[in-house]
Amino acid sequence: MVSSDVAAEHRRRLESLSGLLLALFVAMISSTVVSIALPRIIGELNGTQTQYTWVVTATLLTATASTPIWGKLADLFNKKTLLQSAIGIFVVGSVISGFSQDTTQLIAARAFQGIGMGGVQALAQVVMAAIIPPRERGRYNGYLGAVMAVATVGGPLLGGLIVDVSWLGWRWCFFVGVPIAVIAFGVLQRTLKLETLRRENVQVDYLGATLIAAGVSILLIWVSFVDNSFGWLSWETGAMVGAGVVLLALAVLVESRVREPVVPLRIIVKRQPALAILASVSAGLAMYGGAVFLGQYFQIGRGYTPTEAGLLTIPLMAGVLLASTLSGRLISRTGVVKPYIVAGSVLLALGFLGLGLMDHDTPLWMVDAAMAVAGVGVGMTMQNLVLAVQNGVALRDLGAATGAVTFFRSLGGTIGVSVLGAVLANRVTSDLSTALRVPAGTSSTGDISALNLTALPPQVQQVVHTVYGDATAHVFLLSAAVALVGVVAALLLKPITLRTTIDLEKKEEKQVSDTEPAKG
């Protein structure tokens, strides 16, 4: 009888999560479809390497800035309605992106799309946490990881096929997710049942979110253009870095004083969330940087078609799929999470190191092995870090805590893509100038950096393949160095046993509150 009740409860939860997983699937697949098609998209729109990076960075930046707001709103309003609103924003952004006529329009549309994407990704974690106890959440995180992995495996293949089919074209990389999102909206309406939680005197910290987004944006724009359009020691550098630091300092001041902060300092300054955030930055860099630059490596550095490049990234995605599913089930069985996070962090660093040793003619089996190791590392760390943080907070802080971890993970990915993209752009420009014996920054190297290879002579195309293939290794070596920080953070995490209740026990909750500094 007991086992029958458990099975019935499991079926009920899966039914409630069906629309949620579908929404997460479409948000994830939109990124992976576009990432593999991006070299062709930027080439046809005559964009530059910097614009290539910003098509991704713009989406990540708005998703990052909006994630804590969505998380906070989830503590105040109906989670189902918020999730459906995020899906609507995502659909509108997808349609606008598909109709873009140049890279500027595409970057702006992708920024709008990122607001909805951030909502879907943040609210997926919040909704799961609201209906499933932490001890059992590892099992369902396995389903979550499996959906994400299917999206990341299928996305590059789908994106490559769409771009390579003449009667479709790259615009359908944005349109293809629209009908799936509409279906997810309807399924959520029918299956997800959540109580509406309303609190009096609601305050959402829009000022703090704006200051954080503005400060990070200015610094990322500076990273994109320094040492290219202007020097490291220049008035432009002083103005942009100074403005970015001031805005972020003001953001910290605002967050420390408002009643409902976007990034709750009282939560993130604690040891466990702080260490989880550091490790999440590494995982975020892996997820976004790997997808963005591996697709470019295979197409521009090795000369494969988008479809072939999608197939070649399968080892990375398969590693995520297997590791997330298996680790989720093992964590649910044992209630122990730290060993999996530590092992995943180490594998992440080793995978990046392997990718950092490749060049334009490295045997594919070696690249595959490094990608698989990195993928396993992502699968064992990404969702489990969120789980570790959720386990230590009360239900009333669940949305804020989840949003904070997701925020910093996305911020790590955003900064990583922008910084690594700037490093790659500068390296490519310098190496092309040397290889073609032209001064750096002239129109010749600028045209080549536009990624429109079909317009170049065969001999020059071969030079570009070699330069991009060799330069990409430097990006992943930097990633390996960052991943080491995640290893240290994972080792310093306190060993925990996941609780079996949705909320903290009253006694435990009182102990937590007693350890917090007094307000006032």
Side-chain angles (χ1 to χ4, degrees):
M1 185 66 178
V2 176
S3 61
S4 176
D5 292 340
V6 171
E9 178 67 13
H10 177 59
R11 286 194 301 271
R12 186 190 65 79
R13 286 173 178 169
L14 283 181
E15 181 180 341
S16 298
L17 292 175
S18 57
L20 181 70
L21 295 177
L22 192 59
L24 186 64
F25 173 79
V26 72
M28 288 294 299
I29 203 170
S30 69
S31 297
T32 54
V33 164
V34 172
S35 66
I36 206 69
L38 202 52
R40 182 73 61 84
I41 295 172
I42 299 300
E44 292 190 11
L45 293 178
N46 294 315
T48 65
Q49 176 65 47
T50 298
Q51 290 170 329
Y52 178 102
T53 301
W54 270 95
V55 170
V56 180
T57 301
T59 308
L60 294 178
L61 186 61
T62 53
T64 300
S66 64
T67 289
I69 293 181
W70 288 111
K72 175 53 63 178
L73 291 176
D75 286 336
L76 309 176
F77 300 111
N78 184 272
K79 299 173 179 62
K80 174 180 173 179
T81 302
L82 288 172
L83 184 56
Q84 290 177 314
S85 300
I87 292 173
I89 293 172
F90 172 81
V91 167
V92 173
S94 299
V95 172
I96 297 174
S97 297
F99 285 111
S100 297
Q101 300 300 307
D102 55 43
T103 50
T104 301
Q105 293 178 12
L106 180 59
I107 290 170
R110 290 278 288 167
F112 183 76
Q113 187 186 38
I115 298 174
M117 191 180 301
V120 171
Q121 293 176 346
L123 293 170
Q125 299 283 352
V126 173
V127 170
M128 287 189 68
I131 62 178
I132 304 171
R135 179 64 176 265
E136 298 179 42
R137 209 172 296 154
R139 176 183 184 182
Y140 293 90
N141 272 343
Y143 294 113
L144 191 75
V147 167
M148 294 174 65
V150 170
T152 49
V153 171
L157 297 177
L158 182 60
L161 288 171
I162 289 174
V163 171
D164 285 338
V165 174
S166 58
W167 51 272
L168 285 176
W170 63 263
R171 297 184 187 279
W172 278 95
C173 290
F174 300 102
F175 296 148
V176 70
V178 173
I180 306 176
V182 172
I183 294 173
F185 187 98
V187 173
L188 280 169
Q189 182 63 32
R190 187 175 62 86
T191 62
L192 186 60
K193 309 297 181 184
L194 289 173
E195 294 182 6
T196 300
L197 301 176
R198 296 185 182 276
R199 285 161 47 187
E200 299 296 328
N201 302 319
V202 172
Q203 291 184 1
V204 180
D205 183 21
Y206 297 109
L207 176 59
T210 301
L211 288 171
I212 292 171
V216 172
S217 297
I218 290 175
L219 292 177
L220 293 183
I221 292 171
W222 168 71
V223 167
S224 297
F225 292 101
V226 71
D227 203 27
N228 188 6
S229 300
F230 50 82
W232 290 90
L233 298 176
S234 63
W235 71 266
E236 291 93 344
T237 290
M240 296 180 78
V241 173
V245 170
V246 168
L247 287 172
L248 292 177
L250 289 173
V252 173
L253 181 64
V254 169
E255 297 302 274
S256 66
R257 297 193 174 188
V258 297
R259 191 178 66 185
E260 301 284 357
V262 166
V263 180
L265 299 180
R266 66 183 178 83
I267 294 177
I268 67 172
V269 296
K270 296 176 183 177
R271 172 178 171 175
Q272 201 79 348
L275 292 172
I277 283 169
L278 277 177
S280 293
V281 168
S282 298
L285 193 151
M287 183 175 71
Y288 299 115
V292 172
F293 296 111
L294 279 173
Q296 192 174 15
Y297 167 78
F298 284 124
Q299 291 178 63
I300 301 178
R302 302 293 292 257
Y304 292 104
T305 67
T307 301
E308 292 169 339
L311 289 168
L312 288 168
T313 57
I314 285 179
L316 176 70
M317 310 312 177
V320 177
L321 171 61
L322 293 174
S324 60
T325 303
L326 294 176
S327 66
R329 289 186 173 275
L330 290 172
I331 287 170
S332 285
R333 184 179 303 169
T334 63
V336 178
V337 68
K338 178 179 176 178
Y340 299 95
I341 296 176
V342 172
S345 301
V346 172
L347 291 173
L348 194 59
L350 291 175
F352 271 144
L353 180 62
L355 291 173
L357 299 177
M358 67 186 184
D359 56 29
H360 69 281
D361 60 0
T362 299
L364 287 179
W365 70 266
M366 295 179 64
V367 180
D368 290 344
M371 285 193 296
V373 171
V376 170
V378 172
M380 294 179 69
T381 56
M382 190 83 68
Q383 303 304 321
N384 294 332
L385 286 166
V386 176
L387 187 60
V389 173
Q390 289 177 339
N391 186 74
V393 299
L395 185 61
R396 68 175 186 273
D397 291 326
L398 200 57
T402 303
V405 177
T406 309
F407 170 82
F408 283 104
R409 183 180 69 199
S410 298
L411 183 63
T414 305
I415 295 173
V417 170
S418 182
V419 171
L420 296 178
V423 170
L424 180 61
N426 289 335
R427 181 81 185 201
V428 165
T429 299
S430 174
D431 290 354
L432 281 176
S433 300
T434 301
L436 299 176
R437 299 180 182 178
V438 295
T442 63
S443 59
S444 298
T445 56
D447 292 341
I448 292 170
S449 296
L451 312 182
N452 193 3
L453 297 181
T454 57
L456 301 174
Q459 301 92 328
V460 178
Q461 288 187 31
Q462 185 57 48
V463 172
V464 174
H465 287 320
T466 301
V467 167
Y468 265 92
D470 294 347
T472 307
H474 297 277
V475 166
F476 290 112
L477 278 178
L478 288 175
S479 301
V482 174
L484 290 176
V485 177
V487 174
V488 175
L491 288 170
L492 293 176
L493 284 171
K494 292 181 179 178
I496 59 172
T497 300
L498 299 180
R499 65 178 190 256
T500 57
T501 57
I502 290 179
D503 202 358
L504 284 170
E505 299 292 341
K506 294 298 182 182
K507 182 179 180 181
E508 180 183 357
E509 188 173 344
K510 184 178 185 304
Q511 290 175 346
V512 171
S513 62
D514 289 343
T515 59
E516 293 176 358
K519 295 181 181 179

